[in-house]
Amino acid sequence: AALLVTPAATAYQLTRRFRRMLGLSIAIGATCAVAGLYFSYYLHAASGATIVLLVTIAFFMAMLVRRRQNRPA
């Protein structure tokens, strides 16, 4: 469930347009999946857990970006 919800929530942090959110969500999910498989192979870790960890890190980074954009100057 985390790989289904978290990329969408991450994309929602970065844009409010539905069409852009859809594309961004797919890109985030695919990128984190490929990177997670790569890292799990070389770190000898569980692939599912590594993918979810990367998607969660991306979500928190998007939250920080969103928070900095909303901060008054």
Side-chain angles (χ1 to χ4, degrees), residues 3-11 20-30:
L3 193 54
L4 183 66
V5 175
T6 313
T10 305
R20 189 176 294 167
M21 192 182 311
L22 224 76
L24 195 56
S25 175
I26 291 168
I28 291 168

Side-chain angles (χ1 to χ4, degrees), residues 14-52:
L14 300 174
T15 185
R16 295 292 188 245
R17 293 188 138 163
F18 183 71
R19 190 172 286 250
R20 189 176 294 167
M21 192 182 311
L22 224 76
L24 195 56
S25 175
I26 291 168
I28 291 168
T31 302
C32 288
V34 170
L37 289 173
Y38 177 80
F39 286 134
S40 70
Y41 178 78
Y42 287 105
L43 297 175
H44 302 290
S47 59
T50 307
I51 293 168
V52 171

